[in-house]
Amino acid sequence: MITPPSGIVTFLFTDIEGSTKLAQEFPDTLPVALEKHHAILRKKIESNNGFVFEIIGDAFCSSFADVCDAVKAAHDIQISLASEKWDDAVIKIRIGIHSGKAEWNNSTYMGYITLARTQRVMSAAFGEQVIISNDTNELVKEKILLTNKEIRSSGGEIISFRDLGERRLKDLIQPVKLYQMTAHGLREEFPPLKTLDARPNNLPLQLTSFIGREDEMKKIKDGLKQTRLLTLTGPGGTGKTRLAIQIAADIIDDFANGVWIVELASLLEPDLLPQSIVKALGIHENPKQKVEETLSDFLKDKELLIILDNCEHLIHSCAGLSERLLQYSAKLKILATSREPLRCSGELTHRTSSLALPDAKADITAEQLSQYESVRLFIERALALKPDFRVTNENAPALAAICSHLDGIPLAIELAAARISVLTIEKIYERLNSRFKLLTGGKRTSLPRQQTLKALIDWSYDLLSENEKILWSRLSVFSGGWTLEASEEICIDEKIFPEEVLDLIINLTDKSIVIYDEKNQRYRMLETIKQYGAEKLEEANEHKKVADSH
């Protein structure tokens, strides 16, 4: 039995090229081919001292204590698959190898960044190709220097690596130098790697890794196949922008003319919207044309994706221009982010969910806790500030409570994790009742509204009508949600009449303040949104009046 390695681990991930097509073309013979594939991979990985810790569909995830063992396993796998006699369904796999910090925790690996990067290295490759990262290559060179021996496969072939240059992987963090394995018997020539460099784009580098949301991303990608305009809605801080950028990176190969993000948060003049898009796409303006005409002419025959980010304060202009551009350009797609839908023809909306969070009241261990996306986000951000940070069975309940009380909102969790350098997890949890004072440690380089939790919600509040603001604050008196009838009884006075309440609640729902539970026919607010409304109710000296009515 191989012991799962920890510390500096070399990971080898595989994936079958064109598995969906194979399933469609060879439904009868593919199961037998997959059995052969699984047997070959398990044998070659384990015979080279590797540990298979997960199989997802037809993709193998394995770990190695020795980098040379991983390299040998990859070579042996590709040689064995290439020499195998297949009936109809010929299986070709891509292999990615990356090395980094990771700890085995009884049933899974802790080290999300290392695992995610291994996945991205593998995703850049083609069938029959083995790609390794610079980190792995450095370990290989160290091993060669220490042993004074070249790396040879089990058959005696010398294994070497061709420098493919520095590439931007689709995880969007810093570029990495990649290498292709070369050896006798391996295919040598392949198309350009499937990296961001292969298509034009202006997607910004990210300083932190993207955590979770696999199922949600699949739904959104499927939605973009059905429509040409998809809007990600949701409260501030739920990660709509980061989600949109990651989706664009993942599907960039579908757009011959690339993907482009247009950041609108700092744009205050609606009339300048076309000019902002022109600038983002690097289009040369024609002084004899209106800017919108120049934009339309440029997009007419282009196959590209535009991200319109933060549309809520320019909602009418974004809706109108999006509709006109989509009518003019048949191959254009738009992915918008906004607190509310654009409400124009052909739009598909997706409410961005909070990260998966634990039940704060459940008895949960540190190992169980690490399965939740919100917890993984807290841990990754905390480790960046405090490398010796660890989740234990003792502090696990407090961490579960933090993620739960912050509703799984990514920005709120990141702001909470930023306090780990000066407060324990337990102390952070104790101070969450004053969360708007506690969660103020955002990056200085962020937009002002992303530097504190209160500023983030202020942005949404300031975009509302006066009666929407009043109703928001009054709805904060409800605990556990409310019915429409209850709000029509309790939240009315000379400012808000009963017949106005339904429309106001619909508006607040569209603007991601209120959530409607269709199953129970009740409305609710996230705890952070509710607490903000409660503070506004106190400021207006209305708390006693509304609470008494309640």
Side-chain angles (χ1 to χ4, degrees):
M1 182 69 178
I2 296 171
T3 302
S6 287
I8 299 298
V9 180
T10 297
F11 290 96
L12 183 157
F13 285 6
T14 76
D15 185 39
I16 294 178
E17 183 178 58
S19 57
T20 302
K21 186 178 179 182
L22 287 173
Q24 293 170 346
E25 292 183 355
F26 309 106
D28 297 327
T29 56
L30 182 60
V32 175
L34 287 176
E35 284 184 19
K36 290 183 181 179
H37 162 269
H38 279 51
I40 290 170
L41 263 65
R42 188 171 287 280
K43 179 181 177 180
K44 297 304 179 183
I45 289 170
E46 293 180 351
S47 65
N48 284 286
N49 306 309
F51 173 65
V52 178
F53 63 89
E54 190 173 22
I55 300 175
I56 307 170
D58 52 46
F60 273 61
C61 302
S62 59
S63 58
F64 296 78
D66 188 320
V67 66
C68 293
D69 286 339
V71 167
K72 293 174 185 176
H75 175 273
D76 291 352
I77 289 169
Q78 295 291 29
I79 293 295
S80 295
L81 290 174
S83 59
E84 182 66 35
K85 293 182 179 179
W86 306 98
D87 294 329
D88 293 313
V90 178
I91 289 183
K92 298 178 181 180
I93 70 168
R94 48 188 177 175
I95 297 178
I97 305 177
H98 174 59
S99 307
K101 291 181 180 179
E103 299 290 333
W104 179 252
N105 188 10
N106 294 325
S107 62
T108 188
Y109 270 104
M110 297 294 295
Y112 190 87
I113 294 175
T114 301
L115 295 170
R117 177 130 282 202
T118 309
Q119 175 69 27
R120 293 301 179 184
V121 171
M122 184 271 292
S123 298
F126 288 85
E128 301 182 289
Q129 191 173 27
V130 179
I131 299 296
I132 72 169
S133 69
N134 187 60
D135 293 307
T136 297
N137 188 62
E138 290 299 314
L139 289 179
V140 168
K141 289 195 294 186
E142 285 178 19
K143 196 67 180 284
I144 291 173
L145 284 173
L146 282 172
T147 61
N148 200 28
K149 294 179 180 178
E150 296 170 315
I151 299 179
R152 292 179 179 269
S153 70
S154 55
E157 296 91 349
I158 296 174
I159 300 174
S160 57
F161 298 95
R162 179 194 302 168
D163 188 344
L164 300 179
E166 196 169 75
R167 302 300 179 98
R168 285 191 67 193
L169 297 176
K170 293 176 183 178
D171 56 12
L172 293 164
I173 53 180
Q174 69 271 16
V176 61
K177 188 175 281 191
L178 297 178
Y179 298 80
Q180 177 183 311
M181 178 185 289
T182 60
H184 178 71
L186 291 181
R187 176 182 165 190
E188 292 192 8
E189 297 304 321
F190 295 91
L193 292 178
K194 299 174 183 178
T195 58
L196 285 177
D197 316 87
R199 297 279 194 231
N201 70 90
N202 69 338
L203 297 179
L205 280 176
Q206 302 297 306
L207 303 180
T208 55
S209 58
F210 184 79
I211 306 289
R213 295 192 186 274
E214 288 84 2
D215 292 340
E216 186 171 16
M217 288 179 66
K218 184 180 185 305
K219 289 179 183 177
I220 296 168
K221 291 175 189 176
D222 289 344
L224 276 170
K225 292 176 183 177
Q226 302 166 21
T227 187
R228 294 173 56 218
L229 170 62
L230 192 149
T231 303
L232 303 181
T233 64
T238 48
K240 297 184 294 295
T241 298
R242 186 69 178 86
L243 178 60
I245 292 173
Q246 187 59 59
I247 287 169
D250 282 354
I251 62 176
I252 191 171
D253 296 327
D254 297 338
F255 298 93
N257 302 109
V259 298
W260 307 88
I261 183 168
V262 185
E263 297 172 338
L264 303 176
S266 58
L267 182 65
L268 301 178
E269 295 296 329
D271 293 343
L272 296 180
L273 177 60
Q275 191 171 357
S276 296
I277 301 176
V278 164
K279 183 178 179 182
L281 270 62
I283 303 170
H284 180 69
E285 289 189 47
N286 184 345
K288 297 181 180 179
Q289 275 186 315
K290 292 181 179 180
V291 177
E292 187 173 326
E293 292 175 352
T294 300
L295 177 60
S296 297
D297 287 347
F298 175 83
L299 294 174
K300 187 173 183 180
D301 300 314
K302 299 293 190 301
E303 185 180 26
L304 53 76
L305 174 70
I306 293 176
I307 301 172
L308 293 180
D309 187 38
N310 289 299
C311 297
E312 56 269 0
H313 61 302
L314 304 168
I315 198 73
H316 297 292
S317 297
C318 287
L321 183 59
S322 295
E323 194 168 277
R324 291 193 296 273
L325 292 178
L326 290 169
Q327 288 171 346
Y328 201 78
S329 176
K331 297 179 181 179
L332 171 67
K333 291 198 175 189
I334 295 175
L335 179 60
T337 74
S338 176
R339 310 278 169 104
E340 60 179 304
L342 299 190
R343 290 185 184 170
C344 55
S345 299
E347 180 187 27
L348 185 66
T349 61
H350 175 90
R351 182 178 175 84
T352 306
S353 61
S354 298
L355 296 178
L357 48 85
D359 182 352
K361 298 178 182 178
D363 186 15
I364 193 166
T365 66
E367 180 186 344
Q368 293 168 329
L369 199 59
S370 63
Q371 308 301 314
Y372 294 94
E373 294 173 343
S374 55
V375 174
R376 293 210 306 267
L377 176 63
F378 187 101
I379 291 170
E380 292 294 340
R381 301 302 184 255
L383 283 170
L385 294 169
K386 194 176 181 182
D388 60 348
F389 171 75
R390 292 292 181 272
V391 180
T392 65
N393 288 338
E394 287 70 35
N395 63 23
L399 179 52
I402 289 170
C403 294
S404 179
H405 283 277
L406 293 178
D407 307 302
I409 298 174
L411 181 61
I413 291 170
E414 290 187 339
L415 292 173
R419 294 304 189 200
I420 202 67
S421 56
V422 293
L423 294 172
T424 64
I425 290 179
E426 291 84 356
K427 289 294 183 184
I428 293 172
Y429 171 59
E430 288 173 11
R431 292 170 179 259
L432 280 187
N433 285 336
S434 302
R435 66 188 65 191
F436 296 118
K437 293 179 182 177
L438 173 69
L439 305 181
T440 58
K443 298 187 291 291
R444 291 188 180 92
T445 52
S446 299
L447 290 168
R449 71 167 189 268
Q450 294 175 336
Q451 293 180 16
T452 72
L453 186 62
K454 183 177 184 300
L456 179 78
I457 305 176
D458 282 341
W459 171 261
S460 293
Y461 184 80
D462 292 340
L463 292 174
L464 301 180
S465 69
E466 194 59 33
N467 276 4
E468 288 169 348
K469 293 176 181 177
I470 293 171
L471 185 60
W472 176 355
S473 66
R474 292 177 181 178
L475 292 171
S476 68
V477 300
F478 290 101
S479 179
W482 67 90
T483 63
L484 174 61
E485 292 75 17
S487 59
E488 288 173 330
E489 286 285 337
I490 293 167
C491 300
I492 59 170
D493 61 4
E494 67 280 356
K495 295 178 183 176
I496 297 180
F497 299 110
E499 58 270 22
E500 290 183 88
V501 173
L502 175 58
D503 285 340
L504 290 173
I505 286 183
I506 289 173
N507 291 345
L508 290 175
T509 302
D510 281 347
K511 295 173 182 179
S512 304
I513 306 301
V514 168
I515 300 169
Y516 179 55
D517 180 351
E518 187 173 353
K519 181 179 178 181
N520 297 309
Q521 297 186 21
R522 290 176 67 81
Y523 298 89
R524 65 182 178 88
M525 290 189 285
L526 296 177
E527 185 60 32
T528 299
I529 301 291
K530 181 174 178 290
Q531 195 172 116
Y532 182 95
E535 290 194 5
K536 291 296 182 182
L537 195 64
E538 289 283 0
E539 290 174 11
N541 294 316
E542 282 198 335
H543 182 268
K544 186 178 186 309
K545 180 184 77 172
V546 183
D548 287 348
S549 177
H550 179 268

mmCIF file of all heavy atoms in Angstrom, residues 367-397:
data_model
loop_
_atom_site.group_PDB
_atom_site.id
_atom_site.type_symbol
_atom_site.label_atom_id
_atom_site.label_comp_id
_atom_site.label_asym_id
_atom_site.label_seq_id
_atom_site.Cartn_x
_atom_site.Cartn_y
_atom_site.Cartn_z
ATOM 1 N N GLU A 367 -11.529 18.002 8.957
ATOM 2 C CA GLU A 367 -11.472 17.292 7.679
ATOM 3 C C GLU A 367 -12.755 17.490 6.881
ATOM 4 O O GLU A 367 -12.717 17.777 5.677
ATOM 5 C CB GLU A 367 -11.252 15.797 7.923
ATOM 6 C CG GLU A 367 -11.180 14.975 6.649
ATOM 7 C CD GLU A 367 -11.100 13.489 6.926
ATOM 8 O OE1 GLU A 367 -10.800 13.107 8.071
ATOM 9 O OE2 GLU A 367 -11.341 12.713 5.987
ATOM 10 N N GLN A 368 -13.903 17.380 7.532
ATOM 11 C CA GLN A 368 -15.189 17.570 6.851
ATOM 12 C C GLN A 368 -15.361 19.019 6.396
ATOM 13 O O GLN A 368 -15.892 19.286 5.321
ATOM 14 C CB GLN A 368 -16.332 17.184 7.794
ATOM 15 C CG GLN A 368 -16.387 15.708 8.134
ATOM 16 C CD GLN A 368 -17.336 15.406 9.283
ATOM 17 O OE1 GLN A 368 -17.528 16.226 10.186
ATOM 18 N NE2 GLN A 368 -17.955 14.232 9.254
ATOM 19 N N LEU A 369 -14.867 19.923 7.192
ATOM 20 C CA LEU A 369 -15.034 21.351 6.911
ATOM 21 C C LEU A 369 -14.330 21.766 5.625
ATOM 22 O O LEU A 369 -14.822 22.617 4.876
ATOM 23 C CB LEU A 369 -14.481 22.157 8.091
ATOM 24 C CG LEU A 369 -14.929 23.617 8.237
ATOM 25 C CD1 LEU A 369 -16.431 23.700 8.375
ATOM 26 C CD2 LEU A 369 -14.243 24.254 9.441
ATOM 27 N N SER A 370 -13.196 21.136 5.348
ATOM 28 C CA SER A 370 -12.396 21.541 4.187
ATOM 29 C C SER A 370 -13.056 21.195 2.862
ATOM 30 O O SER A 370 -12.579 21.592 1.801
ATOM 31 C CB SER A 370 -11.014 20.877 4.253
ATOM 32 O OG SER A 370 -11.134 19.467 4.185
ATOM 33 N N GLN A 371 -14.184 20.477 2.885
ATOM 34 C CA GLN A 371 -14.886 20.139 1.655
ATOM 35 C C GLN A 371 -15.707 21.311 1.120
ATOM 36 O O GLN A 371 -16.126 21.299 -0.032
ATOM 37 C CB GLN A 371 -15.828 18.944 1.876
ATOM 38 C CG GLN A 371 -15.158 17.728 2.504
ATOM 39 C CD GLN A 371 -14.005 17.201 1.685
ATOM 40 O OE1 GLN A 371 -14.110 17.059 0.471
ATOM 41 N NE2 GLN A 371 -12.879 16.926 2.340
ATOM 42 N N TYR A 372 -15.960 22.314 1.935
ATOM 43 C CA TYR A 372 -16.825 23.426 1.548
ATOM 44 C C TYR A 372 -16.021 24.537 0.865
ATOM 45 O O TYR A 372 -14.940 24.916 1.331
ATOM 46 C CB TYR A 372 -17.557 23.984 2.766
ATOM 47 C CG TYR A 372 -18.544 23.009 3.370
ATOM 48 C CD1 TYR A 372 -18.177 22.173 4.417
ATOM 49 C CD2 TYR A 372 -19.837 22.904 2.875
ATOM 50 C CE1 TYR A 372 -19.069 21.257 4.964
ATOM 51 C CE2 TYR A 372 -20.747 22.009 3.412
ATOM 52 C CZ TYR A 372 -20.348 21.183 4.455
ATOM 53 O OH TYR A 372 -21.243 20.286 4.978
ATOM 54 N N GLU A 373 -16.582 25.078 -0.215
ATOM 55 C CA GLU A 373 -15.873 26.105 -0.998
ATOM 56 C C GLU A 373 -15.553 27.337 -0.171
ATOM 57 O O GLU A 373 -14.459 27.896 -0.268
ATOM 58 C CB GLU A 373 -16.729 26.510 -2.201
ATOM 59 C CG GLU A 373 -16.933 25.418 -3.217
ATOM 60 C CD GLU A 373 -17.930 25.803 -4.298
ATOM 61 O OE1 GLU A 373 -18.692 26.778 -4.093
ATOM 62 O OE2 GLU A 373 -17.948 25.141 -5.347
ATOM 63 N N SER A 374 -16.501 27.795 0.640
ATOM 64 C CA SER A 374 -16.285 29.008 1.434
ATOM 65 C C SER A 374 -15.141 28.813 2.420
ATOM 66 O O SER A 374 -14.331 29.724 2.649
ATOM 67 C CB SER A 374 -17.565 29.387 2.179
ATOM 68 O OG SER A 374 -18.032 28.303 2.972
ATOM 69 N N VAL A 375 -15.054 27.611 2.996
ATOM 70 C CA VAL A 375 -13.978 27.316 3.943
ATOM 71 C C VAL A 375 -12.641 27.249 3.217
ATOM 72 O O VAL A 375 -11.624 27.770 3.698
ATOM 73 C CB VAL A 375 -14.259 25.999 4.688
ATOM 74 C CG1 VAL A 375 -13.078 25.615 5.569
ATOM 75 C CG2 VAL A 375 -15.529 26.129 5.522
ATOM 76 N N ARG A 376 -12.618 26.615 2.038
ATOM 77 C CA ARG A 376 -11.375 26.530 1.267
ATOM 78 C C ARG A 376 -10.872 27.925 0.909
ATOM 79 O O ARG A 376 -9.670 28.190 0.940
ATOM 80 C CB ARG A 376 -11.574 25.703 -0.004
ATOM 81 C CG ARG A 376 -11.846 24.232 0.259
ATOM 82 C CD ARG A 376 -11.332 23.357 -0.879
ATOM 83 N NE ARG A 376 -11.830 23.743 -2.180
ATOM 84 C CZ ARG A 376 -12.922 23.219 -2.741
ATOM 85 N NH1 ARG A 376 -13.647 22.332 -2.092
ATOM 86 N NH2 ARG A 376 -13.296 23.597 -3.941
ATOM 87 N N LEU A 377 -11.799 28.818 0.585
ATOM 88 C CA LEU A 377 -11.406 30.188 0.266
ATOM 89 C C LEU A 377 -10.769 30.854 1.477
ATOM 90 O O LEU A 377 -9.706 31.484 1.370
ATOM 91 C CB LEU A 377 -12.625 30.997 -0.199
ATOM 92 C CG LEU A 377 -12.364 32.478 -0.484
ATOM 93 C CD1 LEU A 377 -11.370 32.638 -1.636
ATOM 94 C CD2 LEU A 377 -13.663 33.203 -0.807
ATOM 95 N N PHE A 378 -11.400 30.721 2.641
ATOM 96 C CA PHE A 378 -10.841 31.312 3.864
ATOM 97 C C PHE A 378 -9.443 30.749 4.128
ATOM 98 O O PHE A 378 -8.503 31.502 4.417
ATOM 99 C CB PHE A 378 -11.756 31.026 5.054
ATOM 100 C CG PHE A 378 -11.347 31.726 6.323
ATOM 101 C CD1 PHE A 378 -12.000 32.872 6.733
ATOM 102 C CD2 PHE A 378 -10.296 31.249 7.109
ATOM 103 C CE1 PHE A 378 -11.609 33.538 7.899
ATOM 104 C CE2 PHE A 378 -9.895 31.896 8.267
ATOM 105 C CZ PHE A 378 -10.567 33.039 8.664
ATOM 106 N N ILE A 379 -9.297 29.423 4.007
ATOM 107 C CA ILE A 379 -8.015 28.793 4.305
ATOM 108 C C ILE A 379 -6.923 29.282 3.354
ATOM 109 O O ILE A 379 -5.812 29.637 3.790
ATOM 110 C CB ILE A 379 -8.148 27.255 4.210
ATOM 111 C CG1 ILE A 379 -9.027 26.725 5.359
ATOM 112 C CG2 ILE A 379 -6.775 26.588 4.253
ATOM 113 C CD1 ILE A 379 -9.401 25.262 5.207
ATOM 114 N N GLU A 380 -7.222 29.328 2.051
ATOM 115 C CA GLU A 380 -6.211 29.754 1.073
ATOM 116 C C GLU A 380 -5.775 31.197 1.326
ATOM 117 O O GLU A 380 -4.590 31.518 1.258
ATOM 118 C CB GLU A 380 -6.754 29.605 -0.342
ATOM 119 C CG GLU A 380 -6.959 28.163 -0.790
ATOM 120 C CD GLU A 380 -5.674 27.383 -0.928
ATOM 121 O OE1 GLU A 380 -4.593 28.004 -1.056
ATOM 122 O OE2 GLU A 380 -5.739 26.143 -0.902
ATOM 123 N N ARG A 381 -6.737 32.074 1.614
ATOM 124 C CA ARG A 381 -6.382 33.478 1.840
ATOM 125 C C ARG A 381 -5.660 33.651 3.176
ATOM 126 O O ARG A 381 -4.757 34.484 3.298
ATOM 127 C CB ARG A 381 -7.643 34.350 1.799
ATOM 128 C CG ARG A 381 -8.408 34.285 0.483
ATOM 129 C CD ARG A 381 -7.567 34.693 -0.712
ATOM 130 N NE ARG A 381 -8.356 34.717 -1.932
ATOM 131 C CZ ARG A 381 -8.297 33.807 -2.890
ATOM 132 N NH1 ARG A 381 -7.471 32.784 -2.777
ATOM 133 N NH2 ARG A 381 -9.048 33.910 -3.974
ATOM 134 N N ALA A 382 -6.039 32.857 4.175
ATOM 135 C CA ALA A 382 -5.369 32.932 5.474
ATOM 136 C C ALA A 382 -3.925 32.439 5.376
ATOM 137 O O ALA A 382 -3.004 33.028 5.959
ATOM 138 C CB ALA A 382 -6.144 32.118 6.508
ATOM 139 N N LEU A 383 -3.711 31.360 4.626
ATOM 140 C CA LEU A 383 -2.363 30.816 4.465
ATOM 141 C C LEU A 383 -1.425 31.810 3.776
ATOM 142 O O LEU A 383 -0.223 31.825 4.044
ATOM 143 C CB LEU A 383 -2.418 29.519 3.658
ATOM 144 C CG LEU A 383 -2.900 28.269 4.407
ATOM 145 C CD1 LEU A 383 -3.133 27.120 3.435
ATOM 146 C CD2 LEU A 383 -1.904 27.870 5.483
ATOM 147 N N ALA A 384 -1.984 32.633 2.890
ATOM 148 C CA ALA A 384 -1.162 33.634 2.207
ATOM 149 C C ALA A 384 -0.606 34.663 3.188
ATOM 150 O O ALA A 384 0.466 35.222 2.979
ATOM 151 C CB ALA A 384 -1.980 34.333 1.124
ATOM 152 N N LEU A 385 -1.353 34.912 4.268
ATOM 153 C CA LEU A 385 -0.925 35.885 5.280
ATOM 154 C C LEU A 385 -0.179 35.229 6.439
ATOM 155 O O LEU A 385 0.697 35.834 7.044
ATOM 156 C CB LEU A 385 -2.152 36.623 5.836
ATOM 157 C CG LEU A 385 -2.912 37.521 4.855
ATOM 158 C CD1 LEU A 385 -4.230 37.960 5.466
ATOM 159 C CD2 LEU A 385 -2.068 38.740 4.502
ATOM 160 N N LYS A 386 -0.562 33.981 6.729
ATOM 161 C CA LYS A 386 0.002 33.282 7.887
ATOM 162 C C LYS A 386 0.280 31.837 7.485
ATOM 163 O O LYS A 386 -0.579 30.962 7.637
ATOM 164 C CB LYS A 386 -0.992 33.353 9.053
ATOM 165 C CG LYS A 386 -0.411 32.961 10.394
ATOM 166 C CD LYS A 386 -1.462 33.155 11.488
ATOM 167 C CE LYS A 386 -0.882 32.786 12.846
ATOM 168 N NZ LYS A 386 -1.903 32.913 13.921
ATOM 169 N N PRO A 387 1.491 31.554 6.977
ATOM 170 C CA PRO A 387 1.790 30.227 6.433
ATOM 171 C C PRO A 387 1.605 29.072 7.426
ATOM 172 O O PRO A 387 1.398 27.934 7.000
ATOM 173 C CB PRO A 387 3.261 30.346 6.008
ATOM 174 C CG PRO A 387 3.448 31.811 5.738
ATOM 175 C CD PRO A 387 2.586 32.509 6.749
ATOM 176 N N ASP A 388 1.675 29.351 8.721
ATOM 177 C CA ASP A 388 1.512 28.281 9.701
ATOM 178 C C ASP A 388 0.055 28.110 10.139
ATOM 179 O O ASP A 388 -0.238 27.353 11.074
ATOM 180 C CB ASP A 388 2.384 28.528 10.933
ATOM 181 C CG ASP A 388 2.047 29.829 11.653
ATOM 182 O OD1 ASP A 388 1.295 30.663 11.079
ATOM 183 O OD2 ASP A 388 2.529 30.023 12.785
ATOM 184 N N PHE A 389 -0.863 28.794 9.465
ATOM 185 C CA PHE A 389 -2.284 28.674 9.820
ATOM 186 C C PHE A 389 -2.771 27.247 9.569
ATOM 187 O O PHE A 389 -2.478 26.641 8.548
ATOM 188 C CB PHE A 389 -3.110 29.658 8.979
ATOM 189 C CG PHE A 389 -4.604 29.465 9.117
ATOM 190 C CD1 PHE A 389 -5.265 29.887 10.253
ATOM 191 C CD2 PHE A 389 -5.336 28.837 8.116
ATOM 192 C CE1 PHE A 389 -6.634 29.704 10.392
ATOM 193 C CE2 PHE A 389 -6.700 28.646 8.241
ATOM 194 C CZ PHE A 389 -7.344 29.085 9.386
ATOM 195 N N ARG A 390 -3.522 26.705 10.524
ATOM 196 C CA ARG A 390 -4.079 25.371 10.390
ATOM 197 C C ARG A 390 -5.498 25.333 10.946
ATOM 198 O O ARG A 390 -5.800 26.016 11.932
ATOM 199 C CB ARG A 390 -3.227 24.329 11.142
ATOM 200 C CG ARG A 390 -1.848 24.079 10.541
ATOM 201 C CD ARG A 390 -1.918 23.404 9.191
ATOM 202 N NE ARG A 390 -0.589 23.140 8.644
ATOM 203 C CZ ARG A 390 0.104 23.996 7.908
ATOM 204 N NH1 ARG A 390 -0.402 25.197 7.631
ATOM 205 N NH2 ARG A 390 1.294 23.661 7.453
ATOM 206 N N VAL A 391 -6.337 24.535 10.309
ATOM 207 C CA VAL A 391 -7.680 24.294 10.831
ATOM 208 C C VAL A 391 -7.625 23.029 11.682
ATOM 209 O O VAL A 391 -7.138 21.994 11.225
ATOM 210 C CB VAL A 391 -8.705 24.123 9.706
ATOM 211 C CG1 VAL A 391 -10.094 23.879 10.283
ATOM 212 C CG2 VAL A 391 -8.720 25.347 8.805
ATOM 213 N N THR A 392 -8.095 23.122 12.908
ATOM 214 C CA THR A 392 -8.099 21.988 13.821
ATOM 215 C C THR A 392 -9.533 21.682 14.241
ATOM 216 O O THR A 392 -10.458 22.469 13.991
ATOM 217 C CB THR A 392 -7.267 22.306 15.070
ATOM 218 O OG1 THR A 392 -7.901 23.384 15.791
ATOM 219 C CG2 THR A 392 -5.847 22.730 14.691
ATOM 220 N N ASN A 393 -9.708 20.558 14.900
ATOM 221 C CA ASN A 393 -11.048 20.224 15.404
ATOM 222 C C ASN A 393 -11.505 21.229 16.457
ATOM 223 O O ASN A 393 -12.710 21.401 16.682
ATOM 224 C CB ASN A 393 -11.056 18.810 15.991
ATOM 225 C CG ASN A 393 -10.969 17.750 14.907
ATOM 226 O OD1 ASN A 393 -11.304 18.005 13.751
ATOM 227 N ND2 ASN A 393 -10.509 16.567 15.266
ATOM 228 N N GLU A 394 -10.533 21.914 17.094
ATOM 229 C CA GLU A 394 -10.883 22.900 18.120
ATOM 230 C C GLU A 394 -11.406 24.195 17.507
ATOM 231 O O GLU A 394 -12.371 24.791 17.999
ATOM 232 C CB GLU A 394 -9.649 23.199 19.003
ATOM 233 C CG GLU A 394 -9.274 22.082 19.963
ATOM 234 C CD GLU A 394 -8.720 20.853 19.244
ATOM 235 O OE1 GLU A 394 -8.016 21.030 18.209
ATOM 236 O OE2 GLU A 394 -9.030 19.728 19.685
ATOM 237 N N ASN A 395 -10.772 24.676 16.431
ATOM 238 C CA ASN A 395 -11.229 25.959 15.857
ATOM 239 C C ASN A 395 -12.200 25.772 14.693
ATOM 240 O O ASN A 395 -12.733 26.743 14.147
ATOM 241 C CB ASN A 395 -10.043 26.838 15.438
ATOM 242 C CG ASN A 395 -9.186 26.216 14.336
ATOM 243 O OD1 ASN A 395 -9.644 25.364 13.573
ATOM 244 N ND2 ASN A 395 -7.930 26.641 14.245
ATOM 245 N N ALA A 396 -12.454 24.520 14.300
ATOM 246 C CA ALA A 396 -13.366 24.252 13.187
ATOM 247 C C ALA A 396 -14.767 24.819 13.395
ATOM 248 O O ALA A 396 -15.333 25.414 12.469
ATOM 249 C CB ALA A 396 -13.440 22.755 12.904
ATOM 250 N N PRO A 397 -15.380 24.685 14.600
ATOM 251 C CA PRO A 397 -16.727 25.258 14.791
ATOM 252 C C PRO A 397 -16.778 26.763 14.551
ATOM 253 O O PRO A 397 -17.736 27.268 13.962
ATOM 254 C CB PRO A 397 -17.048 24.907 16.247
ATOM 255 C CG PRO A 397 -16.223 23.698 16.537
ATOM 256 C CD PRO A 397 -14.956 23.903 15.786
#
